[in-house]
Structure formats: C-alpha cells, structure tokens
C-alpha cells in the first residue's frame, strides 16, 4: 500500500480494507493446507487420503478455515477417479465440504468449482455448467476455478472456450501441473506437437503423476511406439486403483 501511495496508483475498493484476505492466522494450519494442496495439484491420487487427513487436522487447528473446507471439497470431487468404490461417499463429502466452505466464506469460488467437477464426472453436464458459471461469477481469477471451467468446457464439446480458459490459467500460473497436461494434449490434437510436448514435459518436471497420458500421444505421433506404450503405462498406473497390477501395460499395449 505504501508503494502504491508513492506511485500515486489508485486501488479499487475501500483503502482501509486489507489488500489480500487472510485465509487463516494459524501458521501450522496453513502449512498443512499447502502440503495437501501440493498433493492435489500433482494429482497424486494414492496420497489423497494423506491430503484429506492434513486438511482435517488444519480444520481442528482453525475450525473457521474456509479454504481448507473448499480444498477438501475439491479433493473429494476427484477421489472417485483414484479410489475404487468411493463414488457415492465422495459425492456426499464434496457437497458437505462445499456447503461448509460457502457458509464460512460466501466469496469463495472453489466450492462451486468442486461441485462442477463432481457433476461433470457424473455426466450431469447442465448441473456442471451451472456450478462452473457460478464459480466464475464469484472469482474469475481463481486459477483452479478457471482450470476446471476449462476442463468442463472441453469435456462437453466446447473446445475453443476450454483452450481459452486454460490459456488464462497458464498465463497467471504457468506451472500448474494439470493445466499443462490438458493444454498440451489439446495442442497435440491440433497437430502442434512442438508446443504440446513443451507443455507436457513441463508437467512432468513439476511432478504430475499421470503425465504419461499426454506424453504417449507425442511419442506415438512421432512413430516411437515402444516409448509411447511405456509413457501410457506409467500414466495409467496413477489411475489404476483396484485394477490388476498388469492392467496399465495391457491397456497401453491395446491402445
């Protein structure tokens, strides 16, 4: 604020209000939130239970930590992808945590984005779009909100809009792992292997668990089928909860 006053920059809103909302005043709770968010951002599905435990501990330390509830909703929304038999329980938990987050802080957009992702996985496209649009209306600058809106748009056939939203995400958060994957895949689909591989390799560098889902497409397009099979096998391992151990390799060989 002192710098903006020196530079005579006009700030929007009440000058007496904080420039950045403080999510929690408990540093340990915030550290737990960041650790859980790292697991979430890298989509380490095998460690989702660990992330959930960390967020639950954060909420014991600060019961009013709305963002911890919102991130729990986000993790539960994706849990059925990684945990066999978690569908109904995960949906109920997503709705519960989203409601708790919104009750504590109605200005949070992530709870609605999580609901949108959950509805999308269930094939409820209208509900997903309504929830996604509401999340964007609340905060069109939240990277996870914009990311999920982009994914939802692509999955429902609105590819151009989806790519525009993913580009917005990467403009402000260039190392968000799953955004790199999704945008990289879309470049590959249009035949731009160079851009696609650049983003996909970057996703691998920042530790995205299932990046092979995208990298196998690059290897296959370049005629390197052995490498493509290995990349897809590696990528599928992150998504193969409950399947036989050889299932990823079998599916990759079939592809």
């Amino acid at each position: 604020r002192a710098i903006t006053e020196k530079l005579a920059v006009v700030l929007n809103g009440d000058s007496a209000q904080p420039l950045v909302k403080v999510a929690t005043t408990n540093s340990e709770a915030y550290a737990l939130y960041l650790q859980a968010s790292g697991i979430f951002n890298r989509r380490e599905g095998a460690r989702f239970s660990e992330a959930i435990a960390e967020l639950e501990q954060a909420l014991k330390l600060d019961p009013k930590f709305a963002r911890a509830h919102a991130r729990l909703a986000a993790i539960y929304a994706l849990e059925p992808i990684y945990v066999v038999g978690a569908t109904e329980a995960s949906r109920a938990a997503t709705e519960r945590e989203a409601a708790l987050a919104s009750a504590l802080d109605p200005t949070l957009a992530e709870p609605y984005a999580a609901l949108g992702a959950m509805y999308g996985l269930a094939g409820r496209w209208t509900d997903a779009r309504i929830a996604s649009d509401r999340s964007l209306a609340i905060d069109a600058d939240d990277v996870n909100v914009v990311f999920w809106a982009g994914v939802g748009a692509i999955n429902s056939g609105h590819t151009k809009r989806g790519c525009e939203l993913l580009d917005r995400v990467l403009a402000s958060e260039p190392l968000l792992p799953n955004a790199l994957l999704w945008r990289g895949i879309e470049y590959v689909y249009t035949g731009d292997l160079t851009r696609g591989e650049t983003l996909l390799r970057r996703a691998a560098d920042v530790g995205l668990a299932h990046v092979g889902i995208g990298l196998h497409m690059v290897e296959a397009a370049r005629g390197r089928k052995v490498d493509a099979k290995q990349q897809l096998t590696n990528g599928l391992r992150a998504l193969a909860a409950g399947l036989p151990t050889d299932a990823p390799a079998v599916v990759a060989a079939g592809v």
Side-chain angles (χ1 to χ4, degrees):
R1 193 182 300 281
I3 290 169
T4 60
E5 288 171 356
K6 289 289 185 181
L7 296 175
V9 175
V10 177
L11 295 173
N12 291 324
D14 185 349
S15 63
Q17 294 298 314
L19 294 179
V20 179
K21 181 178 290 187
V22 178
T24 177
T25 57
N26 188 302
S27 60
E28 185 178 349
Y30 192 58
L32 289 164
Y33 170 82
L34 292 177
Q35 289 168 203
S37 295
I39 293 171
F40 169 73
N41 286 336
R42 293 186 297 272
R43 296 300 192 265
E44 295 179 274
R47 298 181 64 198
F48 271 15
S49 59
E50 179 184 333
I52 289 169
E54 288 171 339
L55 290 167
E56 289 175 342
Q57 179 61 27
L59 285 164
K60 288 180 181 178
L61 295 169
D62 182 358
K64 294 183 178 181
F65 192 177
R67 284 194 177 275
H69 280 297
R71 190 49 49 88
L72 268 174
I75 291 174
Y76 278 124
L78 297 184
E79 193 176 39
I81 297 174
Y82 304 97
V83 181
V84 173
T87 305
E88 293 306 320
S90 297
R91 287 176 185 168
T94 301
E95 291 175 337
R96 180 189 71 239
E97 296 300 330
L100 288 168
S102 294
L104 286 167
D105 186 352
T107 69
L108 284 181
E110 186 174 14
Y112 295 100
L115 290 171
M118 179 193 74
Y119 293 140
L121 285 174
R124 295 167 56 181
W125 302 116
T126 301
D127 291 335
R129 181 63 183 265
I130 290 170
S132 176
D133 285 351
R134 185 165 185 183
S135 70
L136 287 170
I138 293 173
D139 187 354
D141 294 321
D142 184 303
V143 291
N144 279 307
V145 165
V146 181
F147 166 72
W148 267 342
V151 169
I154 289 170
N155 281 338
S156 56
H158 300 276
T159 307
K160 181 179 178 182
R161 169 179 164 80
C163 288
E164 289 171 350
L165 290 168
L166 291 176
D167 286 340
R168 276 177 50 192
V169 170
L170 292 172
S172 60
E173 195 76 36
L175 294 181
L176 190 67
N178 225 19
L180 290 166
L181 172 72
W182 278 81
R183 192 63 181 97
I185 287 175
E186 289 305 314
Y187 275 126
V188 173
Y189 278 143
T190 62
D192 192 340
L193 295 183
T194 300
R195 280 189 178 180
E197 183 171 17
T198 296
L199 296 188
L200 292 166
R201 296 288 179 196
R202 198 170 293 159
D205 289 343
V206 294
L208 183 64
H210 57 285
V211 68
I213 297 290
L215 280 173
H216 97 274
M217 298 168 65
V218 174
E219 301 291 5
R222 291 188 170 148
R224 300 192 287 259
K225 290 192 175 183
V226 173
D227 292 336
K229 178 182 173 182
Q230 188 58 55
Q231 285 287 358
L232 186 53
T233 300
N234 293 341
L236 289 171
R237 283 197 180 115
L239 306 172
L243 295 177
T245 55
D246 63 342
V250 172
V251 172
V255 171

